Amino acid sequence: MATTVSTFLEKKKRGEKIVILTAYDYITAKLLDEAGVDGILVGDSLAMVALGYPSTLQVSMEEMIHHTKAVVRGAKEAMVIFDMPFLSYQVSTERAVLNAGRALKETGCCAVKLEGGVEQAEKIKAITGAGIPVMAHIGLQPQSVNLYGGYRLRGKGEERERILEDAKAVEEAGAFAVVLEKIPSDLAKEITESLTIPTIGIGAGPYCDGQVLVFHDLVGLFTDFKPKFVKRYAQLGEIAKEAVREFIKEVNSGKFPDKEHSY
Ligand code: KIV
């Protein structure tokens, strides 16, 4: 049965973990879906991982829509979540609802994700009011990298209280789940225990209701940098490079194509 927002809430109630990975194309989405993830996030990490931009700020609505359509075609069971790109929701509530609606209408995804807590609560309320499920994203917010001066750990010292307020605000605004990025484990635990909606951690320790990672980090395909919270489960980049080197060798030596691969 296809995963929905209710599945996420039921999983939290039953104490079962929620697993989400990113995908930006059909074949990756199909692979993740067949492996059994609960959700597929078309993250704005698309900008850096698949499009080679220097940060997530450069990716457009059009590019996000183009890739999400491909992901939706590959996902049969997993819930597809569209990451709202920079400036698609910050400017006004009206623009936020229109862009979230456009994402759902044009791609066939199930939900949207946006960064921000207290300051984005009004938009979350309006988008969910239009019938569009919203996953919030607090703690480290990569779209605000210039405001905070980097990708450092959030929620230490007086920031802790602010993040607790953000968590409360997004739940009250109607978010069905909240991503907690790069915050101390004990803060993530406190948030997870105080909310009825599931928390999805990335660099937020083991006490969250679920975990999300960038697929290309997990399998060693994206190696430009590696945050501490990334665990590599495979080295697919190395395996692919080795296969390509072998192909080059065989073409040069005339070993490929052989009889078996010719007509
Ligand atoms: O863009 C992204 O990939 C994200 C993370 C939460 C994985 O927002």
Side-chain angles (χ1 to χ4, degrees):
M1 211 170 62
T3 306
T4 64
V5 165
S6 319
T7 320
F8 275 40
L9 297 170
E10 281 155 21
K11 277 202 148 191
K12 171 156 181 146
K13 276 192 208 143
R14 290 198 298 266
E16 292 171 19
K17 294 285 185 184
I18 297 161
V19 179
I20 303 177
L21 282 172
T22 57
Y24 318 119
D25 59 28
Y26 168 79
I27 190 64
T28 310
K30 191 162 179 277
L31 200 140
L32 300 184
D33 196 68
E34 287 170 1
V37 298
D38 299 297
I40 300 178
L41 171 68
V42 189
D44 61 355
S45 51
L46 162 72
M48 299 167 88
V49 178
L51 302 180
Y53 290 129
S55 78
T56 60
L57 300 180
Q58 289 80 22
V59 74
S60 65
M61 263 311 273
E62 280 65 32
E63 287 165 322
M64 290 298 301
I65 285 174
H66 174 76
H67 284 265
T68 307
K69 280 178 171 175
V71 168
V72 167
R73 288 193 283 267
K76 294 219 160 22
E77 308 288 334
M79 180 160 80
V80 177
I81 304 149
F82 177 98
D83 207 2
M84 301 284 288
F86 181 55
L87 288 192
S88 67
Y89 58 95
Q90 287 94 338
V91 177
S92 71
T93 301
E94 189 183 339
R95 180 115 45 115
V97 175
L98 283 172
N99 278 326
R102 191 177 162 209
L104 248 72
K105 251 179 136 163
E106 294 184 27
T107 71
C109 71
C110 235
V112 299
K113 175 173 89 57
L114 58 84
E115 294 178 12
V118 172
E119 75 285 4
Q120 299 301 343
E122 187 193 317
K123 279 133 189 176
I124 294 173
K125 197 169 173 198
I127 296 169
T128 52
I132 302 165
V134 178
M135 175 179 271
H137 181 156
I138 62 174
L140 172 64
Q141 297 164 36
Q143 291 179 11
S144 306
V145 58
N146 293 304
L147 189 64
Y148 292 101
Y151 297 96
R152 63 170 174 79
L153 181 75
R154 295 290 142 73
K156 298 276 267 189
E158 57 189 39
E159 245 183 29
R160 187 181 175 96
E161 206 46 50
R162 206 172 323 139
I163 291 179
L164 284 165
E165 281 166 18
D166 282 339
K168 227 183 297 159
V170 299
E171 172 165 86
E172 278 170 18
F176 74 92
V178 56
V179 169
L180 307 178
E181 180 161 357
K182 211 167 176 185
I183 60 170
S185 302
D186 65 325
L187 173 56
K189 184 170 189 275
E190 188 176 342
I191 294 172
T192 301
E193 287 170 355
S194 68
L195 298 186
T196 57
I197 58 170
T199 57
I200 311 294
I202 175 162
Y207 307 111
C208 300
D209 298 305
Q211 296 291 327
V212 58
L213 276 181
V214 168
F215 168 77
H216 293 71
D217 284 337
L218 178 103
V219 296
L221 277 172
F222 184 76
T223 55
D224 290 4
F225 56 87
K226 184 183 120 26
K228 176 180 156 78
F229 57 73
V230 167
K231 181 172 175 185
R232 289 214 203 292
Y233 288 80
Q235 299 289 352
L236 294 194
E238 284 311 311
I239 293 172
K241 264 191 269 182
E242 203 34 57
V244 173
R245 284 189 198 111
E246 194 59 22
F247 177 65
I248 294 171
K249 228 194 286 173
E250 291 200 358
V251 170
N252 284 332
S253 69
K255 191 172 174 194
F256 181 87
D258 54 12
K259 220 171 150 192
E260 190 191 339
H261 299 96
S262 303
Y263 297 97

